[in-house]
Amino acid sequence: MSNFPIVATVLSMILGLSVTRLLLGALTVFRIRREAAPDWVALVWALMLFTTQMDFWWAVNALPAIKQEFSFLEFLLLVLLALSLFVSAALLLPSRSEDEKNGLRVYFEQDGRFALLSLSTYLVLGLIVNIVLFQASPIALWGLLNIIVIVLPICAFKVKSRRAYSIITLAYVPLNAIYLAVSLTYSAR
């Protein structure tokens, strides 16, 4: 008997909370836009995180075609993936207007940028899951793209210059689109 329904239920609960948290953050930014200026960098990362959340949810839906039974350790690894997306969503955008009193740019530079480390953690765990659980070759195109999309958020986190992390953010958008296209193609098989 397949234990996939249990795996899918738990992952969907965590992903649902993750998406909810990100959307509530976006609504907070909208609600207080007159008192605290929005910032395009944080909003672009929020959009990239949302597309990543949707990609993972889609991949979870495709899991039964690849694997029917999951050990408890495999289950925990998948839960860690979902939790890293939740942590990213919880950190990226403010949840209360008080958190953003100085504007979204200041919030992102002080606290929100830590979400990028959690996003890279998700991508590292995803690389491990794809290699270990699904025997995907790390030498394939997705492996190279995965390394690039892992490194860019870390670079954006580490640099202090607004110009530098803005350029990294802009570079991440098309690379993430390609990465998601490859990922969706791979999960459709």
Side-chain angles (χ1 to χ4, degrees), residues 84-105:
S84 61
L85 288 176
F86 176 82
V87 170
S88 295
L91 292 172
L92 188 57
L93 297 174
S95 59
R96 305 171 311 147
S97 56
E98 301 85 48
D99 293 336
E100 200 190 328
K101 62 182 175 252
N102 297 319
L104 187 55
R105 177 179 175 175

Side-chain angles (χ1 to χ4, degrees), residues 128-149:
I128 293 167
V129 165
N130 286 329
I131 293 169
V132 174
L133 264 61
F134 307 120
Q135 289 76 47
S137 171
I139 302 171
L141 172 63
W142 74 267
L144 174 63
L145 283 170
N146 209 337
I147 297 300
I148 294 169
V149 296

Side-chain angles (χ1 to χ4, degrees), residues 37-175:
D39 181 50
W40 71 269
V41 173
L43 294 174
V44 167
W45 281 111
L47 180 61
M48 296 300 97
L49 178 58
F50 181 74
T51 60
T52 302
Q53 291 168 326
M54 293 299 105
D55 176 59
F56 183 56
W57 220 331
W58 194 259
V60 167
N61 187 48
L63 276 179
I66 301 168
K67 188 173 174 83
Q68 292 287 318
E69 287 291 320
F70 296 88
S71 71
F72 188 69
L73 288 176
E74 292 169 337
F75 169 71
L76 288 178
L77 190 55
L78 292 171
V79 167
L80 283 174
L81 277 167
L83 286 174
S84 61
L85 288 176
F86 176 82
V87 170
S88 295
L91 292 172
L92 188 57
L93 297 174
S95 59
R96 305 171 311 147
S97 56
E98 301 85 48
D99 293 336
E100 200 190 328
K101 62 182 175 252
N102 297 319
L104 187 55
R105 177 179 175 175
V106 172
Y107 176 85
F108 180 77
E109 289 175 350
Q110 291 177 349
D111 297 324
R113 66 192 185 94
F114 285 92
L116 304 179
L117 293 179
S118 186
L119 177 60
S120 286
T121 299
Y122 163 80
L123 294 163
V124 167
L125 289 170
L127 179 66
I128 293 167
V129 165
N130 286 329
I131 293 169
V132 174
L133 264 61
F134 307 120
Q135 289 76 47
S137 171
I139 302 171
L141 172 63
W142 74 267
L144 174 63
L145 283 170
N146 209 337
I147 297 300
I148 294 169
V149 296
I150 287 168
V151 170
L152 284 178
I154 294 170
C155 292
F157 170 80
K158 285 190 164 273
V159 299
K160 301 295 183 222
S161 159
R162 167 75 175 186
R163 186 171 193 270
Y165 73 70
S166 296
I167 291 169
I168 294 168
T169 300
L170 290 173
Y172 188 83
V173 173
L175 290 170

